[in-house]
Amino acid sequence: MTRPPTTALPWGYWLVFGLYEPMLAICGFLGALANPKKAHDAQAPWPTGVAPPGPLAKATQVTMLQLAHVVGLLGLINLFVLGAARKYLFAQPALQEKIVGALLTPLLIADIVHLGITWWALGDSRWSMWEWSGLLWTTFLTGFSLLIPRVAWHMGIGRYVDRRDGQALRKT
């Protein structure tokens, strides 16, 4: 008989949500901070095929940097909350599951909304994938690379689930 999982955040999930996702978020923040116009102009295909020349309007630049800051902040929150859950709650997997779930549930909703809104906002350009920028492709690919493991975590794949594993763990 195999032993049930004893952590709600095994290494695979920790690598995805505690390291990979924060790295993506912080890199996105730094990229937008380094060149807000390039980040802005790569969000979607332009009707003429080329972004307008010249600097961004101040309101657009402020909005880009504020959004990039929020993305970076979410990455840091993942890093710190999940790091604390692994470090301090390893002996309490039921509580660890609740804390990790409290973070990953809104992020799962955000993944779905982010991908859905991006797809919808592209309008007819959504079908012209050959015109998509590298950043737009990255948005979808990294979005799914986070959505799929988040769904797997919520399904209880490869991790401790108190309703399923709690009785067996308490008997040992």
Side-chain angles (χ1 to χ4, degrees):
M1 182 169 161
T2 62
R3 189 167 173 223
T6 58
T7 178
L9 195 60
W11 274 105
Y13 289 123
W14 162 247
L15 289 174
V16 171
F17 305 129
L19 297 176
Y20 169 68
E21 186 168 24
M23 181 207 57
L24 287 175
I26 292 166
C27 287
F29 167 66
L30 294 174
L33 189 63
N35 194 338
K37 176 153 174 56
K38 182 177 179 183
H40 170 271
D41 292 351
Q43 292 297 315
W46 289 88
T48 62
V50 177
L56 294 174
K58 280 292 176 211
T60 303
Q61 181 166 330
V62 168
T63 301
M64 285 296 299
L65 294 174
Q66 288 173 336
L67 289 172
H69 170 258
V70 170
V71 169
L73 178 61
L74 284 172
L76 287 176
I77 289 170
N78 268 25
L79 181 68
F80 283 90
V81 170
L82 296 176
R86 278 187 68 81
K87 184 175 181 179
Y88 300 111
L89 299 176
F90 67 91
Q92 301 174 51
L95 181 56
Q96 186 184 57
E97 179 186 31
K98 297 292 184 199
I99 299 301
V100 172
L103 176 66
L104 295 185
T105 299
L107 291 175
L108 174 63
I109 295 165
D111 288 340
I112 294 165
V113 172
H114 181 234
L115 291 168
I117 283 176
T118 303
W119 185 255
W120 170 79
L122 285 170
D124 290 339
S125 296
R126 78 176 65 101
W127 307 115
S128 303
M129 294 175 186
W130 58 90
E131 294 176 5
W132 289 9
S133 68
L135 181 61
L136 187 54
W137 274 105
T138 300
T139 297
F140 280 101
L141 295 175
T142 59
F144 281 110
S145 77
L146 294 168
L147 173 66
I148 292 166
R150 238 185 290 279
V151 168
W153 187 92
H154 278 83
M155 293 174 67
I157 297 171
R159 70 166 181 91
Y160 174 87
V161 177
D162 193 52
R163 281 180 284 162
R164 178 189 67 209
D165 306 319
Q167 288 294 354
L169 189 62
R170 285 187 272 283
K171 287 180 183 179
T172 60

